[in-house]
Amino acid sequence: MFKKILVPLDGSDLSTKILPEVRELAKCMPAQLTLLHVCHFPMTAGTESLPPAMEQKAEADEARECAVFMGKIAQEIESEGIGVNFACVQGSPAREIIAYAHDNKYDLIAMATHGKGEVAWILGSTAEKVVTHATIPTLLYRVIKTEPPKSKEHLIGMP
């Protein structure tokens, strides 16, 4: 069913919590995994920007950190006999994830979502954009544990 799965990672521990799930999925299908990190350099407030030399150094440092981070994860996944590769691209995260998946003909985008703050049922902005604009199936894995709402009786102290 899914032969090529794209797994966007933002460098956080929360984003990597989807990896056990996609490892199992890749073993069952079997599928090739691609880990994708989007390096994003938002414009500074106002019209100021970094000097070109500083901007190039920041981009080079980010690309180097990305390659080390992604390479380590890819090596762990490969040790389980799963086909995996990785890519680091620059741009707006949601836009680049969607474009990469489309341009490279992926069957599935699988990503973790942690919501906005304590409200875990609201999708994070990148996940929300991907799931609403992608033209291929998208699997979201919630990584924050939530509690069901308390009953009215519990809130007002009545049995």
Side-chain angles (χ1 to χ4, degrees), residues 8-146:
L9 300 174
D10 65 8
S12 71
D13 288 338
L14 287 175
S15 72
T16 61
K17 290 188 184 279
I18 195 167
L19 293 174
E21 307 303 321
V22 295
R23 284 175 170 157
E24 289 304 311
L25 189 59
K27 288 176 188 176
C28 292
M29 293 295 158
Q32 170 78 27
L33 298 179
T34 297
L35 310 176
L36 178 68
H37 178 76
V38 181
C39 301
H40 181 58
F41 299 100
M43 297 297 291
T44 57
T47 58
E48 299 177 25
S49 64
L50 293 174
M54 286 182 83
E55 191 172 316
Q56 289 173 349
K57 182 181 180 330
E59 290 176 7
D61 289 347
E62 176 76 12
R64 191 170 27 261
E65 288 176 24
C66 172
V68 169
F69 171 73
M70 301 294 260
K72 180 181 172 187
I73 294 172
Q75 192 173 35
E76 290 172 15
I77 294 171
E78 272 183 338
S79 71
E80 296 179 29
I82 300 168
V84 64
N85 56 40
F86 67 88
C88 300
V89 297
Q90 288 187 12
S92 173
R95 182 174 291 130
E96 295 302 323
I97 292 165
I98 293 166
Y100 195 92
H102 179 267
D103 294 347
N104 295 283
K105 299 182 179 15
Y106 281 86
D107 304 311
L108 177 71
I109 300 170
M111 60 191 301
T113 182
H114 45 80
K116 296 177 182 175
E118 297 285 325
V119 188
W121 58 85
I122 298 176
L123 300 176
S125 60
T126 299
E128 183 178 22
K129 289 174 187 169
V130 170
V131 80
T132 58
H133 292 88
T135 58
I136 66 169
T138 304
L139 169 70
L140 296 182
Y141 180 70
R142 183 178 300 160
V143 295
I144 290 181
K145 298 205 186 304
T146 61

